[in-house]
Amino acid sequence: MLFITLAPAHAQTIRMASVTPLPVPQDLAALREQPAIGPTVVPLGPGEQALTPALLSNYVARQQQLHAVDVNTLGPQAPLNTDVLLGYISRGSFGSNSAVSAIADIAGAKVTPEPALNPTALEAYIQNGYQPVEKRLAHANAERDCLAQAIYHEARGESAAGQLAVANVIVNRARSAKFPSTLCGVIYQNADKGYHRCQFTFACDGRNDAPSERRAWQRSAELAQAVYAEFATGEAVGAVPRSALYYHTTNVRPNWANTYNAVAQIGSHIFYAPN
């Protein structure tokens, strides 16, 4: 008898085909790299932060610290002469020397306009009297209160035009080099020198300045707010000429009235400008 052993044909003739995996999409790869708890928060880089009062205050404080450094305390500094410059250059080749490369970059760089908010502008802002927001708000409120006091005590019985004219003279003085540059400074000038030595009688007459007429005070405060806005933005008040710096009531005739030019009369006040 003939026994024939048959082996499965596929065991010898069938081979596994080569399998090439498909590329993983980039967004899926990035998602796989994230930790299990979710994406990591990436901190903002320099220049990407929002310009907030806190950030500006920090910048100002840092600049003030840098300006306060006394370079003389750092020890004697070598003079920057030809030998020192050649020493810098000799430390590296001309192709890789950072100092030479920096000079070449600056010499060949195109001049591009700086943005409005740049280090130069911030430096000028700091040097010209930077003040925090809270301090500027307190100053504005004090200026408006001083002006309201002057309008109330000097012209509360006048028409709206008459009150505006009195406020206009105060603004004119603050804008003139002959008087203090703030409204409070103008109104209370020389008030500390004694009875009737100040520019406005109510400021040094020894009486209580607290307003007693509620409606009149409200009118004065509203007018002061509007006039202060014009003063702060440099706009003209327009009630009397900008040259008008003095006034008096019609029931008096001070000696100085003969030396100035009368430019307007509104209600019971006559307004004057220097010759």
Side-chain angles (χ1 to χ4, degrees):
M1 293 183 66
L2 178 63
F3 294 94
I4 300 174
T5 303
L6 299 177
H10 64 273
Q12 296 179 357
T13 61
I14 298 177
R15 295 181 179 179
M16 295 297 295
S18 299
V19 178
T20 302
L22 294 176
V24 179
Q26 293 183 356
D27 55 348
L28 180 58
L31 183 61
R32 288 177 176 177
E33 293 178 357
Q34 294 178 3
I37 60 175
T40 303
V41 177
V42 179
L44 296 175
E48 297 178 356
Q49 301 93 334
L51 184 61
T52 62
L55 182 61
L56 182 58
S57 298
N58 181 65
Y59 176 83
V60 171
R62 179 59 179 161
Q63 291 297 315
Q64 292 173 343
Q65 291 175 357
L66 292 176
H67 293 169
V69 174
D70 186 2
V71 295
N72 294 325
T73 62
L74 302 178
Q77 304 294 317
L80 186 62
N81 51 33
T82 304
D83 293 337
V84 174
L85 289 175
L86 291 177
Y88 290 151
I89 296 174
S90 64
R91 294 175 187 174
S93 63
F94 285 96
S96 61
N97 185 271
S98 59
V100 176
S101 300
I103 295 173
D105 291 342
I106 294 175
K110 296 182 179 180
V111 178
T112 56
E114 287 187 315
L117 185 61
N118 53 64
T120 302
L122 287 173
E123 180 71 15
Y125 177 51
I126 294 169
Q127 297 298 327
N128 291 334
Y130 162 78
Q131 290 183 343
V133 175
E134 294 80 4
K135 189 172 182 180
R136 286 187 281 122
L137 288 176
H139 173 76
N141 291 333
E143 289 280 85
R144 284 192 289 265
D145 185 69
C146 288
L147 186 57
Q149 289 280 356
I151 295 172
Y152 176 85
H153 291 288
E154 293 285 308
R156 66 177 177 272
E158 296 293 313
S159 64
Q163 292 182 353
L164 184 62
V166 169
N168 200 161
V169 168
I170 295 172
V171 170
N172 288 350
R173 288 192 176 191
R175 290 174 174 172
S176 171
K178 299 179 180 179
F179 297 89
S181 59
T182 65
L183 302 182
C184 290
V186 167
I187 294 167
Y188 291 98
Q189 184 179 14
N190 297 334
D192 57 338
K193 293 185 178 180
Y195 185 68
H196 287 173
R197 296 289 301 276
C198 54
Q199 299 291 316
F200 298 89
T201 304
F202 81 93
C204 59
D205 59 4
R207 298 179 181 179
N208 186 1
D209 294 337
S212 58
E213 300 178 26
R214 184 173 59 85
R215 294 187 63 183
W217 171 250
Q218 183 177 358
R219 289 179 57 200
S220 300
E222 291 175 353
L223 180 59
Q225 183 174 0
V227 173
Y228 177 74
E230 295 173 334
F231 169 68
T233 56
E235 297 181 16
V237 178
V240 293
R242 189 163 184 169
S243 59
L245 301 177
Y246 307 93
Y247 67 86
H248 65 77
T249 60
T250 54
N251 59 352
V252 298
R253 182 69 179 179
N255 295 330
W256 54 261
N258 297 323
T259 61
Y260 298 137
N261 294 323
V263 294
Q265 178 173 348
I266 303 176
S268 62
H269 288 100
I270 304 175
F271 298 87
Y272 295 83
N275 296 325

